[in-house]
């Protein structure tokens, strides 16, 4: 199944926690630890929405947004910026301030794509849909 | 041209103008022995030159003259402010037509005489004008004399005063511990008190001209000179910090303050003082730096704390939703415990956020992200975040809206403002209803939050908006005391305001006014 949400954050724990919450909500999630990885992942498998941290090594969030705008295949993908700095976010589709609350996160992502599997998937439990 | 040079006899009162020299002589003859001084001109141009340089009691003027006739001459004389009121009498051949007489009056003549001139009528008319002129002259002289006498008296008094005040100023300047100096209107130093020479170790001969500048720190001199030049002639008090070299070679910070002096509304120079405030400045700089370091630390710390807090919250959320099966079978208490951990985590997050906001405000970094939205909806959303808190405290929150509530504001910040006001009401007025009103008027929208708690003492009504302030003891109520401070700063950033009114014992009302942006 192709990626719906690409989570880009250099903090491993935060990235995985965000991805887990989204997976729990039924999304197919991809992850990237910096802007460069994010661009590679996006070109291989364009997501429906990108959850983007701004302050990252290698290639930061602002650079990712600029690179996406230059690529016709990626320019239309909505970006949710997750930032600890209010007022410094670029003109992205949506801004979530850090720390992100779960309802705000799900609301923002839900605007751009519905979860693959409706309802919450229970890990370790095989549901008829998975079988 | 020299032949035309006009000479008016001193004290001349009567000007006779006639192109025929014989006529002039005849008229002059009539006036001899009357005590008048007369002046004569044979052309209009010559007459004009005399009128330009001299005031006459009366001008007797022939009408028929070559080049410039009497009418032309009269109208030029009347155009000139100085000679406008000089009477002109025309002399003309007998049997003149009425049209001539009208014309004479229209150019400003006061009278006319027919030639040949009747000596008695002529003398009588001239006598009247000369008498008037002399009286006028006398009155003017007396007025001038009075004015001069008056001015002398004032000047004498002023001179006396100046000598006394100058002496007192100098004494005062020598008595105070500060350096005192004066400049002239060009900014050139004209005086230093003795303190300057003691402090800098300069000799009077070293300080003259620009010599004093050698005692100013080289880095501070250009801004000082620039400021001096830009303030020359100004009416503002001049204030600047600069370093002066003390006699022992140490540069010490001085506060230089000068006020402009004016003489008759004209800028006449500066009178200034330099105060050694080196110790104070160093202490102040150190304190400022300490505050900046603290704010910077708070900012970084709260920033850094947010990531682990976010991870904790997300992980706890996942746990809660993934362990649903575990919570059944009589282990419901686990869910309660997990929920408690998560809500404490969220509380920590909101405290950290408040700290970050306070440091942002202190550094002037509270920026707004304006968008157009309905404040009524936003207030309801702000309330949703703390609905559980309100229920837990037994507060029933009623929200009423009225009028057009749309404006350009920062949605997130205003939700925070409303949340802070509501949390405050819930905290200090539990078990009582809270009324929220959102009202739109033409240029602004107001939000009021009314509680029925203990209220605020009049003396504390403004203090509650201070940083880390609360109206009651911290032992009784938890929190950092930042909620109302942040709320007010958010209102101010939007160009609005928050004020509280209260009757102690009967609750408080917080009123927010927000221009539509």
């Amino acid at each position: 199944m192709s990626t719906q949400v690409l989570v880009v954050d250099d903090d491993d724990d935060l990235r995985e926690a965000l991805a887990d919450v989204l997976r729990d909500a039924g999304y197919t999630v991809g992850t990237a630890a910096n802007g460069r990885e994010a661009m590679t992942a996006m070109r291989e498998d364009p997501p429906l929405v990108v959850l983007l941290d701004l302050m990252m090594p290698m290639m930061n969030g602002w650079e990712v947004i600029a690179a996406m705008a230059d690529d016709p295949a990626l320019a239309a993908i909505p970006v949710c910026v997750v930032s600890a700095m209010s007022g410094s976010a670029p003109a992205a589709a949506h801004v979530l301030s850090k720390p992100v609350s779960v309802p705000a996160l799900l609301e923002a992502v839900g605007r751009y794509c519905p979860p693959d599997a409706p309802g919450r998937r229970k890990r370790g439990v095989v549901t008829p849909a998975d079988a | 041209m020299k032949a035309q040079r006009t000479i008016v006899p001193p004290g001349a009162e009567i000007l006779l103008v006639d192109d025929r020299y014989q006529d002039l002589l005849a008229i002059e003859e009539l006036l001899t022995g009357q005590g008048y001084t007369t002046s004569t001109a044979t052309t209009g141009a010559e007459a004009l030159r005399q009128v330009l340089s001299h005031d006459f009691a009366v001008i007797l003027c022939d009408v028929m003259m070559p080049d410039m006739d009497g009418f032309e001459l009269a109208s030029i004389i009347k155009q000139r402010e100085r000679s406008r009121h000089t009477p002109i009498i025309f002399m003309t051949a007998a049997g003149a037509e009425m049209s001539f007489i009208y014309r004479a009056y229209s150019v400003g003549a006061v009278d006319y005489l027919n030639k040949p001139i009747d000596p008695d009528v002529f003398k009588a008319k001239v006598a009247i004008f000369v008498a008037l002129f002399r009286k006028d002259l006398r009155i003017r002289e007396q007025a001038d004399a009075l004015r001069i006498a008056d001015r002398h008296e004032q000047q004498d008094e002023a001179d006396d005063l100046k000598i006394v005040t100058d002496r007192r100023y100098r004494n005062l300047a020598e008595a105070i511990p500060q350096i005192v100096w004066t400049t002239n209107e060009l900014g050139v130093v004209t005086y230093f008190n003795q303190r300057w020479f003691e402090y800098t170790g300069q000799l009077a001969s070293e300080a003259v001209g620009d010599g004093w500048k050698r005692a100013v720190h080289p880095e501070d001199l250009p801004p000082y000179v620039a400021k001096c030049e830009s303030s020359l002639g100004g009416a503002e008090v001049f204030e600047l910090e600069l370093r002066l070299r003390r006699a022992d070679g140490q540069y010490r910070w001085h506060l230089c303050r000068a006020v402009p002096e004016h003489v008759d509304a004209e800028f006449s120079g500066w009178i200034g003082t330099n105060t050694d405030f080196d110790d104070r400045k160093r202490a102040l700089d150190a304190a400022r730096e300490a505050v900046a370091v603290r704010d910077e630390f708070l900012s970084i710390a709260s920033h850094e704390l947010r990531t682990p807090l976010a991870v904790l919250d997300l992980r706890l959320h996942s746990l809660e939703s993934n362990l649903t099966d575990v919570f059944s079978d009589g282990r419901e208490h686990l869910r309660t415990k997990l929920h408690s951990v998560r809500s404490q985590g969220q509380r920590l997050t909101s405290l950290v956020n408040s700290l970050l906001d306070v440091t942002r405000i202190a550094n002037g970094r509270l920026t707004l992200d304006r968008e157009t939205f309905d404040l009524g909806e936003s207030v309801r959303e702000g309330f949703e975040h703390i609905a559980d808190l309100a229920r837990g405290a037994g507060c029933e929150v009623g929200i009423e809206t009225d009028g057009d509530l749309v404006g350009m504001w920062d949605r997130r910040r205003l939700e925070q403002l409303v949340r802070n006001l509501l949390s405050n009401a819930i905290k200090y007025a539990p078990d009582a209803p809270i009324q929220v009103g959102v009202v739109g008027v033409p240029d602004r929208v107001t939000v009021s939050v009314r509680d029925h708690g203990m209220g605020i003492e009049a003396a504390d009504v403004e203090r509650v908006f201070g940083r880390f302030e609360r109206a009651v003891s911290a032992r009784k109520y938890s929190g950092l005391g930042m909620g109302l401070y942040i709320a007010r700063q958010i209102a101010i950033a939007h160009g609005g305001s928050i004020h509280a009114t209260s009757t102690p014992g009967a609750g408080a009302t917080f009123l927010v006014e927000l221009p539509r942006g």
Side-chain angles (χ1 to χ4, degrees), chain A residues 31-124:
Chain A
T31 57
N34 58 53
R36 225 178 267 173
E37 277 185 24
M39 292 310 293
T40 311
M42 268 187 265
R43 286 185 176 124
E44 268 174 25
D45 179 12
L48 296 177
V49 59
V50 178
L51 213 58
L52 183 68
D53 183 26
L54 286 179
M55 306 280 274
M56 291 183 296
M58 313 284 280
M59 183 179 185
N60 66 33
W62 291 279
E63 291 164 341
V64 170
I65 287 171
M68 285 174 71
D70 283 345
D71 188 332
L74 306 178
I77 299 174
V79 177
C80 262
V81 166
V82 181
S83 171
M85 293 173 293
S86 73
S88 60
H94 198 90
V95 179
L96 287 168
S97 59
K98 252 184 198 174
V100 188
S101 79
V102 175
L105 172 70
L106 296 179
E107 197 264 330
V109 173
R111 276 192 206 183
Y112 305 108
C113 63
D116 267 348
R120 285 184 180 150
R121 289 196 301 185
K122 290 162 190 160
R123 202 170 292 170

Side-chain angles (χ1 to χ4, degrees), chain B residues 136-151:
Chain B
D136 190 42
L137 212 59
R138 232 175 5 253
I139 290 169
R140 235 182 292 167
E141 278 169 4
Q142 282 170 345
D144 283 351
L146 271 174
R147 228 183 351 256
I148 289 164
D150 200 32
R151 204 179 301 150

Side-chain angles (χ1 to χ4, degrees), chain B residues 85-229:
Chain B
H85 301 291
T86 307
I88 298 171
I89 300 174
F90 281 122
M91 300 175 294
T92 185
E97 293 174 19
M98 284 308 279
S99 68
F100 157 79
I101 297 166
Y102 287 140
R103 190 161 172 224
Y105 284 121
S106 76
V107 295
V110 293
D111 210 343
Y112 70 97
L113 290 165
N114 282 326
K115 282 183 185 173
I117 287 163
D118 179 322
D120 292 328
V121 173
F122 176 70
K123 282 182 200 164
K125 287 193 173 175
V126 168
I128 290 168
F129 288 116
V130 173
L132 274 173
F133 180 74
R134 285 177 178 170
K135 193 180 270 174
D136 190 42
L137 212 59
R138 232 175 5 253
I139 290 169
R140 235 182 292 167
E141 278 169 4
Q142 282 170 345
D144 283 351
L146 271 174
R147 228 183 351 256
I148 289 164
D150 200 32
R151 204 179 301 150
H152 277 165
E153 203 170 310
Q154 279 180 0
Q155 192 59 48
D156 287 350
E157 279 175 20
D159 285 348
D160 288 349
L161 202 65
K162 197 166 182 329
I163 289 163
V164 174
T165 49
D166 271 3
R167 201 165 52 224
R168 294 192 66 184
Y169 274 145
R170 293 286 151 106
N171 287 344
L172 183 64
E174 296 303 338
I176 64 176
Q178 278 89 351
I179 291 165
V180 179
W181 47 268
T182 61
T183 76
N184 63 10
E185 73 279 8
L186 301 172
V188 177
V189 173
T190 49
Y191 166 78
F192 276 122
N193 67 348
Q194 191 55 32
R195 182 81 183 116
W196 167 269
F197 303 106
E198 289 164 13
Y199 192 91
T200 61
Q202 281 190 333
L203 299 172
S205 58
E206 291 173 316
V208 292
D210 277 350
W212 60 272
K213 289 181 178 170
R214 281 193 290 271
V216 179
H217 193 287
E219 281 171 24
D220 301 339
L221 196 56
Y224 171 82
V225 171
K227 180 144 186 182
C228 258
E229 279 168 7

Side-chain angles (χ1 to χ4, degrees), chain B residues 320-512:
Chain B
E320 261 185 327
S321 51
N322 283 311
L323 298 180
T324 317
D325 294 344
V326 180
F327 293 146
S328 54
D329 310 329
R331 283 190 284 182
E332 281 295 324
H333 64 283
L334 282 182
R335 182 205 288 277
T336 318
K337 283 178 183 165
L338 192 57
H339 186 77
S340 159
V341 171
R342 189 159 172 241
S343 71
Q344 289 305 311
Q346 283 168 345
R347 206 170 139 203
L348 197 51
T349 302
S350 92
L351 287 173
V352 166
N353 281 341
S354 296
L355 266 181
L356 190 60
D357 282 340
V358 169
T359 58
R360 273 202 191 111
I361 291 163
N363 297 326
R365 289 200 300 236
L366 185 72
T367 50
L368 298 182
D369 196 3
R370 288 182 189 260
E371 57 181 310
T372 303
F373 64 92
D374 183 302
L375 190 59
E377 285 170 19
S378 173
V379 167
R380 285 182 206 283
E381 277 166 33
F383 166 67
E384 285 309 316
H385 285 106
I386 53 161
D388 288 345
L389 191 66
R391 257 192 302 280
C395 293
E396 200 175 297
V397 179
I399 301 176
E400 282 183 20
T401 55
D402 184 29
D404 173 18
L405 306 177
V406 176
M408 277 268 287
W409 304 294
D410 185 319
R411 185 196 292 268
R412 208 169 59 78
R413 287 293 176 193
L414 287 192
E415 277 181 23
Q416 183 186 8
L417 183 159
V418 170
R419 213 160 52 235
N420 288 3
L421 290 183
L422 281 172
S423 315
N424 185 71
I426 291 164
K427 190 158 147 194
Y428 293 104
D431 302 314
I434 295 169
Q435 282 109 28
V436 180
V438 191
V439 180
V441 291
D443 60 331
R444 63 192 191 282
V445 177
T446 65
V447 181
S448 61
V449 175
R450 180 159 180 238
D451 67 47
H452 297 272
M454 62 178 134
I456 311 165
E457 293 291 338
D460 295 329
V461 156
E462 273 303 302
R463 198 169 60 81
V464 295
F465 294 105
R467 190 148 61 135
F468 311 126
E469 287 286 1
R470 64 186 73 239
V472 290
S473 156
R475 286 164 195 268
K476 234 172 135 187
Y477 293 91
S478 62
L480 294 175
M482 296 183 294
L484 294 179
Y485 170 73
I486 292 171
R488 174 171 270 185
Q489 298 306 316
I490 291 171
I492 290 171
H494 281 88
S497 62
I498 299 189
H499 291 284
T501 49
S502 174
T503 311
T509 302
F510 288 83
L511 183 69
V512 186

Side-chain angles (χ1 to χ4, degrees), chain B residues 30-68:
Chain B
L30 285 176
L31 295 170
T32 335
Q34 307 284 320
Y36 304 135
T37 313
T38 56
S39 184
T40 57
T42 52
T43 63
E46 198 194 329
L48 267 182
R49 275 196 293 275
Q50 295 203 25
V51 172
L52 280 176
S53 66
H54 194 87
D55 291 338
F56 291 101
V58 60
I59 299 166
L60 293 154
C61 182
D62 183 26
V63 175
M64 301 296 284
M65 291 187 294
D67 300 331
M68 186 192 292

